[in-house]
Amino acid sequence: MQAGLEYRHGSGYEPGMTGCAGLDLIGVNHAYDGTPVVRDFTLSVAPGELVCLLGPSGCGKTTVLRLLAGLEPLQQGRIAIAGKVVGEPGRDLPPEARGVGFVFQDMALFPHLDIAGNVGFGLRRLSAGEKRTRVKAMLNRVHLDGFVHAWPHQLSGGQQQRVALARALAPAPRAMLLDEPFSGLDTRLRSAVRDEALHLLKSDKVTTLVVTHDPEEAMFMADRIAVMRDGALEQVGRPAEIYTQPASEFVAEFMGEVNRIDSVVRDGHVATPFGRVQANGHAEGKAVHVLIRPEALKVAGAEQGIVTAPPIGVLPARVLASRLLGRTSWVHVCLNTDPTHRHEGPGGLEEHSHWHVRVPGHFLPAEGSELRISLDPRQVFVFPAPAPT
Ligand SMILES: Nc1ncnc2c1ncn2[C@@H]1O[C@H](COP(=O)(O)OP(=O)(O)OP(=O)(O)O)[C@@H](O)[C@H]1O
Ligand SMILES: [Mg+2]
């Protein structure tokens, strides 16, 4: 074995053991049967940091996690844990030698072991007494104290997921890899289990990479979000950065719904029905997409908290429908109540007269009623329109 490639049997928990490890993927490429699924992938997770790998189904998220865990032979690039190379083409440390815990998408509990047996599974180095103490402590942390001798089939989905988490955390891994760990749960249970997991991981300062395709989940959990598209990273940054300064139209749309209009850059600005906004450096005459978040539209009379900039252009809008979605209300409006009003976009106002507006709280204007709407120009994104094919 090569000198830099050191075997560690660090996944065995010993009392008093602490410490967490950074994760590094450097220039990783991976293909299945000649089809590339991970492309030029470089990402570091700092010790104690929680990074969410976010992207649509099939973009390669699980493959990245499998490569990190050592479940897939590395074809190109390098993988390091705690600064030690654990994977290079032809030289992969086996999963059990990497000191990482994982909870995979389809990971089930061992049906032939009770809950204590499942949680204690990775605690090979402990005496029977130490093992019992550790299992008890872990079950306490996931609020399943009474379940030591229960069997997996006697537990609900959420309880099983918490056991899986306890099992992965019991050996005090230096890093955790979680692949859609809450996906099987209903909305309420999901946020409860997620909240618990987050506190557990953060209080233990465990380095964590979590895969999800849910932007809200990523924003809830992550110190940083890595947005992935077609095998490559599209943007990496803090949640607020990703949401308010998306690097591409793909990221903007993936993070949350947008109203989109076509426009053309003139005098450094683009036209919207509400007036001109800055073109953010796009070249004169360039065809662009203007993306406007539903919460960037401000409704006169609705309480919408702090507006980040003075709103522009107050326009009349007719309510097509309004729905209460819990914390927010969603209002569909039609902007072209005045047929003489036109903006300069190539498509004209007609084709995008239907807009979505998000207002906090209970605000349900009647269908057909008229609202006055303005735009917070700071929540408008301008990206080049893709070249026609
Ligand atoms: N063992 C395999 N053999 C061949 N192709 C595979 C294999 N595993 C995954 N793929 C393909 O690689 C691509 C990436 O798969 P991967 O499971 O990494 O995506 P993902 O982002 O985790 O998707 P999801 O969100 O649906 O779980 C997909 O097109 C998938 O069909
Ligand atoms: Mg997956």
Side-chain angles (χ1 to χ4, degrees):
M1 175 165 294
Q2 189 211 10
L5 206 59
E6 180 188 82
Y7 262 99
R8 280 175 176 258
H9 300 283
S11 58
Y13 169 80
E14 284 164 38
M17 193 167 141
T18 54
C20 54
L23 303 170
D24 295 284
L25 295 123
I26 303 140
V28 171
N29 283 279
H30 197 81
Y32 291 115
D33 307 322
T35 307
V37 294
V38 175
R39 294 182 290 120
D40 200 19
F41 194 99
T42 296
L43 177 69
S44 293
V45 185
E49 190 185 25
L50 193 153
V51 172
C52 276
L53 191 56
L54 175 69
S57 184
C59 73
K61 306 179 296 294
T62 295
T63 304
V64 169
L65 242 55
R66 288 179 58 82
L67 289 163
L68 258 174
L71 296 167
E72 203 71 55
L74 191 63
Q75 296 168 354
Q76 201 183 336
R78 211 173 338 127
I79 290 175
I81 296 175
K84 296 265 191 264
V85 175
V86 297
E88 276 181 322
R91 298 193 189 95
D92 292 294
L93 276 191
E96 62 276 14
R98 295 192 178 198
V100 296
F102 30 85
V103 177
F104 274 102
Q105 246 173 328
D106 51 3
M107 182 173 278
L109 300 178
F110 305 120
H112 61 288
L113 295 178
D114 64 5
I115 299 310
N118 268 279
V119 176
F121 186 78
L123 304 173
R124 293 178 298 274
R125 291 176 160 199
L126 302 192
S127 69
E130 286 170 336
K131 200 165 164 171
R132 259 197 310 279
T133 309
R134 179 73 178 160
V135 167
K136 205 163 161 250
M138 287 315 297
L139 285 175
N140 174 265
R141 297 197 64 186
V142 295
H143 306 296
L144 289 174
D145 299 270
F147 290 84
V148 180
H149 301 299
W151 294 90
H153 72 268
Q154 296 172 319
L155 268 54
S156 74
Q159 291 165 336
Q160 289 185 30
Q161 218 130 20
R162 282 184 277 161
V163 173
L165 200 66
R167 178 176 65 183
L169 280 169
R174 297 180 300 163
M176 277 286 275
L177 307 174
L178 306 176
D179 194 352
E180 309 260 10
F182 319 113
S183 57
L185 306 178
D186 67 47
T187 321
R188 268 196 61 221
L189 195 55
R190 184 181 174 136
S191 55
V193 176
R194 190 169 60 188
D195 198 37
E196 249 165 47
L198 183 62
H199 291 304
L200 214 63
L201 293 163
K202 278 293 166 192
S203 65
D204 285 6
K205 297 190 176 62
V206 182
T207 311
T208 307
L209 187 58
V210 186
V211 160
T212 177
H213 59 257
D214 177 352
E216 211 173 299
E217 181 158 292
M219 306 256 285
F220 177 86
M221 296 194 81
D223 295 317
R224 283 189 304 147
I225 296 176
V227 185
M228 204 177 163
R229 177 193 193 183
D230 292 340
L233 282 174
E234 185 94 353
Q235 186 176 5
V236 182
R238 293 196 315 277
E241 247 165 51
I242 302 271
Y243 193 79
T244 61
Q245 298 159 49
S248 65
E249 184 164 346
F250 172 83
V251 174
E253 292 203 304
F254 196 78
M255 294 309 292
E257 182 166 344
V258 288
N259 295 290
R260 184 170 67 198
I261 55 176
D262 298 331
S263 195
V264 172
V265 179
R266 294 204 204 292
D267 304 328
H269 289 76
V270 290
T272 78
F274 301 90
R276 287 158 26 113
V277 298
Q278 295 217 343
N280 296 336
H282 293 289
E284 279 303 300
K286 192 161 183 58
V288 289
H289 286 169
V290 182
L291 309 183
I292 299 175
R293 289 233 187 268
E295 60 267 32
L297 297 172
K298 304 297 171 189
V299 179
E303 284 168 30
Q304 281 183 281
I306 302 158
V307 176
T308 55
I312 59 168
V314 180
L315 284 186
R318 190 159 34 80
V319 175
L320 299 172
S322 53
R323 299 280 181 271
L324 177 65
L325 299 182
R327 285 162 293 158
T328 60
S329 296
W330 195 253
V331 187
H332 302 249
V333 296
C334 173
L335 277 189
N336 57 344
T337 52
D338 174 6
T340 62
H341 183 97
R342 279 274 181 274
H343 79 98
E344 300 170 41
L349 187 57
E350 202 60 43
E351 71 183 63
H352 33 68
S353 59
H354 183 148
W355 292 67
H356 290 161
V357 182
R358 192 207 298 272
V359 240
H362 188 280
F363 177 75
L364 293 174
E367 190 182 323
S369 62
E370 202 167 277
L371 299 175
R372 299 188 68 71
I373 291 187
S374 54
L375 173 67
D376 174 359
R378 295 256 295 263
Q379 298 187 55
V380 176
F381 313 122
V382 183
F383 294 110
T389 47

